[in-house]
Amino acid sequence: MRMDIRQITYFVAVAQNGSFSKAAEMLSLSQPALSLAVKKLEEELGAKLFYSFNKRQELTDEGRALLDSARELLDAYQRTVENVHTSRTSRSGTFTLGLSPLFGACFFGDLIPEFYREYPDIHITVIEDGANKIDERIAGGQVDLAVTLKTERLATFASCHFTTQRNVALLHRSHPLAGEKELTVAQLREEPFAIFNQDFILHRQILSACHSAGFRPKIALLSSQWDFMVELVAKNHAVSILPKPVMDKHPDPNVACVPLSDSMKYWDIALAWNKERYMSNACRLFLDFVRAHLPPDDL
């Protein structure tokens, strides 16, 4: 059986008008075409739906049985169409955001609550991980939108600029270099480092910068927790490299922050998503919201 919504519409129109000619006029359809469509429906159902009496089309028992269900079906179809149209401008829904804890600490503590105030019916599931892992989740379609660092891999995603910030060397306030205006990674070659682990792009960038400066860093700590690294610096057990916004929001009186001037000078952040995946309206609203509230670049 291949009964479709068009046939149901024609059947209901004839039943309501009691006439093929009046129904055809209402439907802007020729009477022969309408009669043929209803006849085909009767053949598919194996039942006579109308009979002629006193110049009217009256319903048979089978026709009356079909009419109530047909009306319910047309109502459901209309609601479905309206829901599709409404979804284009809906202010509700869900999506998944990939976010490094470091990005969250620097920028999203205010952004996400502000978004919720404007869009209370949109729910965000946040997946926290290092930027390396977040990039894998973008590629695998496990997140709808992500905040990541600008690297060569970013070219494989759809993306837009979020912010550029300065990186700083973290040293104990008593360190001989703590009073410098700027530092290079090379000046830290004798120091033990507390840095992010391999799940973070910053880990690879720091190792690469040290390699370019001609040394392999001594590692005192590999961690996923930036506050643990700051604690080691505050106790004069290590130095570290972190984005300046982290220390702006969470200063420590025992830690001096000295801007870097070499390849580690900047921290470039982007919003990225898999260009082969569909982006929901809820996710697009968040992307537009973030673009309208970008933090200023620190160049």
Side-chain angles (χ1 to χ4, degrees):
M1 185 179 297
R2 299 171 60 185
M3 181 172 56
D4 59 34
I5 199 70
R6 178 180 57 85
Q7 290 174 308
I8 293 298
T9 301
Y10 292 173
F11 163 73
V12 171
V14 176
Q16 288 175 339
N17 287 276
S19 164
F20 279 100
S21 59
K22 290 180 181 178
E25 183 178 353
M26 183 186 76
L27 295 167
S28 299
L29 189 70
S30 71
Q31 183 174 332
L34 178 58
S35 298
L36 182 61
V38 171
K39 182 179 180 181
K40 185 176 179 181
L41 176 61
E42 290 177 325
E43 290 174 352
E44 291 177 358
L45 292 172
K48 190 75 172 174
L49 300 175
F50 296 101
Y51 69 94
S52 298
F53 179 74
N54 200 21
K55 298 183 179 180
R56 282 184 57 84
Q57 294 298 316
E58 302 288 350
L59 290 166
T60 63
D61 289 341
E62 293 83 356
R64 281 193 296 272
L66 177 61
L67 183 59
D68 289 341
S69 297
R71 284 172 170 160
E72 291 176 4
L73 181 61
L74 290 179
D75 287 343
Y77 175 78
Q78 184 61 34
R79 287 194 301 271
T80 301
V81 171
E82 290 172 357
N83 287 340
V84 170
H85 292 161
T86 301
S87 69
R88 297 174 185 169
T89 56
S90 173
R91 293 168 64 91
S92 63
T94 63
F95 70 94
T96 302
L97 175 67
L99 184 66
S100 164
L102 196 59
F103 299 142
C106 292
F107 306 111
F108 285 84
D110 293 326
L111 264 178
I112 290 178
E114 288 172 7
F115 178 78
Y116 276 139
R117 281 192 288 272
E118 188 165 338
Y119 298 95
D121 295 323
I122 292 179
H123 177 71
I124 305 172
T125 299
V126 176
I127 295 179
E128 291 187 299
D129 216 330
N132 273 332
K133 293 292 186 181
I134 291 296
D135 283 358
E136 292 175 9
R137 292 180 186 274
I138 299 171
Q142 297 165 322
V143 295
D144 298 301
L145 180 67
V147 188
T148 188
L149 289 179
K150 186 177 181 180
T151 64
E152 64 281 356
R153 190 171 187 181
L154 193 66
T156 64
F157 307 135
S159 65
C160 64
H161 176 72
F162 180 70
T163 188
T164 298
Q165 300 292 323
R166 293 295 300 269
N167 282 319
V168 291
L170 275 56
L171 308 102
H172 190 267
R173 63 179 181 176
S174 65
H175 195 285
L177 298 174
E180 297 292 319
K181 291 185 177 180
E182 286 187 332
L183 288 174
T184 64
V185 171
Q187 290 174 273
L188 304 174
R189 67 172 61 242
E190 301 302 327
E191 307 295 334
F193 279 74
I195 61 175
F196 280 112
N197 63 34
Q198 295 88 340
D199 290 341
F200 293 76
I201 291 175
L202 199 54
H203 171 92
R204 186 173 75 244
Q205 291 176 333
I206 292 172
L207 293 188
S208 177
C210 292
H211 177 76
S212 297
F215 73 99
R216 176 179 293 180
K218 293 177 283 186
I219 303 298
L221 174 72
L222 291 177
S223 176
S224 62
Q225 305 297 319
W226 61 266
D227 50 350
F228 192 11
M229 292 183 273
V230 173
E231 183 178 354
L232 259 68
V233 177
K235 293 181 177 179
N236 205 15
H237 296 318
V239 300
S240 189
I241 294 175
L242 284 175
K244 183 173 176 288
V246 176
M247 300 310 297
D248 288 343
K249 286 184 174 291
H250 305 279
D252 188 301
N254 291 313
V255 176
C257 300
V258 183
L260 291 167
S261 60
D262 53 8
S263 62
M264 288 300 302
K265 183 175 182 177
Y266 291 120
W267 195 49
D268 289 318
I269 309 171
L271 297 165
W273 57 99
N274 191 318
K275 54 192 172 186
E276 296 181 1
R277 292 193 72 219
Y278 169 76
M279 180 179 286
S280 69
N281 188 58
C283 185
R284 191 168 299 281
L285 286 171
F286 181 76
L287 177 59
D288 292 343
F289 182 88
V290 173
R291 281 171 162 169
H293 297 80
L294 294 177
D297 290 336
D298 182 10
L299 301 174

